[in-house]
Amino acid sequence: ALVMCGKKMNLEDVMKEIRQDMAYYKNSGGGVTLSGGEVLCQKDFAVQLCKACHNEGIQVAIETNLCFAYDHIKELLENIDFVMCDLKIFDDDMHKKYTGVSNKQILENIKSLVINVLLMKVVLKIPNHVIQLVFSMIVKKNLTLKVLVPVLY
C-alpha cells in the first residue's frame, strides 16, 4: 500500500528553508528550482513563492512539462527567471501512446515561450530527433531568443 509522506508548509515555512542556503545562492549565482510532480499543479502557491524569492534577491527556475493552457500558467511564467521544459516525444500519436496525453498543448506553450520571450532562459529537454524540428520552428518565425539551451538525451 502507498503511504503519504511529507508535511504541509505555508509560504513562510518554505521561505525559512530557502533562506538557509542564501550564502550558496549569492556565491554561485544560483537559485531555487520548483519541480517534483508538476509545479503547474500548484501554480498559485508557486507564484507567491516566486515573488517572495525575488523580494529577497533569489532567482527562480521551474522544471515542467508545460501541459496546462498558457493562460493558466502565464502569471507563473512572468515571475520566473528560467524554465526547463521536458518534451518527451515530438510526434503527437507517439506521445499519446507512451504518455497517455497529446503533446499539442506542450508544443503551443513552447511556441508561446519562444514568441513572447519572457526575458528568461529556456532549456528544452528533448530527444535528439526533435532538435531540428524545434530550431526550424524558431527560424520560420525569424525569432531571436535570449537563451535556448537544448539538452539532448
Side-chain angles (χ1 to χ4, degrees):
L2 296 176
V3 176
M4 293 293 287
C5 62
K7 62 181 176 179
K8 285 191 172 203
M9 298 175 78
N10 63 32
L11 182 62
E12 187 51 39
D13 294 335
V14 176
M15 287 305 297
K16 188 175 180 179
E17 288 286 323
I18 289 171
R19 285 184 197 109
Q20 293 178 27
D21 293 320
M22 284 298 278
Y24 174 77
Y25 305 139
K26 289 186 190 292
N27 291 327
S28 70
V32 172
T33 300
L34 307 179
S35 64
E38 176 52 62
V39 67
L40 301 178
C41 290
Q42 297 186 44
K43 178 202 58 124
D44 294 336
F45 184 79
V47 168
Q48 291 176 15
L49 183 57
C50 291
K51 289 177 179 179
C53 285
H54 283 152
N55 286 340
E56 299 196 25
I58 303 168
Q59 294 186 71
V60 182
I62 63 169
E63 187 168 359
T64 176
N65 64 21
L66 290 174
C67 60
F68 288 84
Y70 191 77
D71 289 343
H72 175 78
I73 63 176
K74 186 175 185 240
E75 183 182 13
L76 178 59
L77 295 175
E78 291 170 345
N79 285 284
I80 62 171
D81 306 293
F82 190 88
V83 62
M84 293 170 274
C85 174
D86 192 5
L87 176 59
K88 304 213 183 324
I89 303 169
F90 193 79
D91 180 80
D92 191 47
D93 291 331
M94 296 290 283
H95 197 276
K96 286 179 196 171
K97 179 179 178 180
Y98 290 105
T99 68
V101 294
S102 170
N103 68 0
K104 288 181 181 173
Q105 185 66 62
I106 298 164
L107 292 171
E108 284 301 313
N109 286 334
I110 291 169
K111 285 180 192 176
S112 293
L113 281 174
V114 169
I115 290 168
N116 295 325
V117 190
L118 297 169
L119 299 176
M120 71 177 75
K121 296 177 184 173
V122 177
V123 172
L124 291 176
K125 297 182 340 183
I126 54 179
N128 288 332
H129 70 280
V130 177
I131 189 72
Q132 292 298 333
L133 296 168
V134 171
F135 280 110
S136 68
M137 175 180 73
I138 293 165
V139 170
K140 280 183 196 174
K141 297 282 187 184
N142 196 25
L143 299 169
T144 304
L145 297 176
K146 182 177 179 194
V147 177
L148 174 66
V149 181
V151 176
L152 303 177
Y153 61 89

